[in-house]
Amino acid sequence: VMLGVMLLGSFVAAIYSVSFLKKAFWGPVRHQALFLSDDLKLHETILLIAVMVLIVIFGLLPDIVLSFQAPGLEFLLSSIART
């Protein structure tokens, strides 16, 4: 019974998310001022590309980030184990 409720909730959430994205990004433009607005500027595009590259690198090579966290996590776990 719980599995059915979870599956139904996931299905409803997926439908809501898709309908929201459809309306927000591909829906009709209601304000004419939005037609006149500029798209991303060059520096904004460069910043977004840099963030996307970092996300891909950290996704493919998570040890880059995890290696910096290891000493702190070991200290935290050892202090928890002592208490």
Side-chain angles (χ1 to χ4, degrees):
V1 174
M2 289 301 292
L3 179 63
V5 171
M6 290 187 300
L7 288 174
L8 179 65
S10 297
F11 185 70
V12 170
I15 290 174
Y16 175 77
S17 298
V18 169
S19 70
F20 171 76
L21 288 173
K22 182 179 175 186
K23 290 177 186 175
F25 293 105
W26 296 288
V29 177
R30 295 182 182 175
H31 302 286
Q32 292 298 327
L34 293 176
F35 279 119
L36 303 175
S37 65
D38 293 336
D39 208 357
L40 291 176
K41 308 264 188 289
L42 179 63
H43 65 279
E44 295 168 339
T45 305
I46 293 170
L47 182 65
L48 283 176
I49 290 172
V51 170
M52 289 189 305
V53 166
L54 286 174
I55 288 172
V56 169
I57 289 172
F58 290 149
L60 294 175
L61 303 169
D63 290 338
I64 296 172
V65 176
L66 297 177
S67 64
F68 289 113
Q69 296 176 348
L73 289 174
E74 289 172 3
F75 174 75
L76 180 66
L77 292 175
S78 65
S79 65
I80 290 173
R82 282 183 274 160
T83 58

